[in-house]
Amino acid sequence: DLMNNTIQHGYINLKVRVPKVSTPCFSIYNAIGQLMESATLDELPPGKHSLKIPIAGLPNGIYFIRFHMEDYAETKKVLLIR
């Protein structure tokens, strides 16, 4: 479950709620659907977590962050302006 996110110092801080032990993944797509960044994260125990996703190399624009685990996926729109 993705909650509020903030952009700070070249990272997007994603706050996520994990219902059970999971190995989450994220993908960042630009406005025309090109994959810009993708990673599989370390296994997380149940609970709330804050994840730092690097975005330093991305230009200003609209992006879609897709966060997914074994049986859950969610996509959030992010406007990156520096």
Side-chain angles (χ1 to χ4, degrees):
D1 182 19
L2 284 177
M3 295 174 275
N4 293 336
N5 57 69
T6 57
I7 299 173
Q8 296 176 331
H9 309 291
Y11 291 92
I12 293 176
N13 294 310
L14 290 180
K15 293 182 182 179
V16 298
R17 186 175 314 138
V18 177
K20 62 181 182 180
V21 175
S22 299
T23 304
C25 302
F26 76 90
S27 303
I28 301 176
Y29 297 90
N30 65 13
I32 60 172
Q34 295 172 314
L35 179 64
M36 304 300 289
E37 195 74 41
S38 182
T40 299
L41 306 174
D42 293 333
E43 185 176 86
L44 296 176
K48 293 181 182 177
H49 302 276
S50 183
L51 308 174
K52 289 177 78 170
I53 308 298
I55 57 163
L58 298 178
N60 291 347
I62 296 172
Y63 294 92
F64 296 90
I65 299 175
R66 181 162 178 78
F67 177 78
H68 48 100
M69 297 179 284
E70 290 80 13
D71 57 355
Y72 175 81
E74 185 173 350
T75 303
K76 292 283 186 175
K77 182 178 171 181
V78 174
L79 178 59
L80 177 60
I81 300 174
R82 294 189 191 117

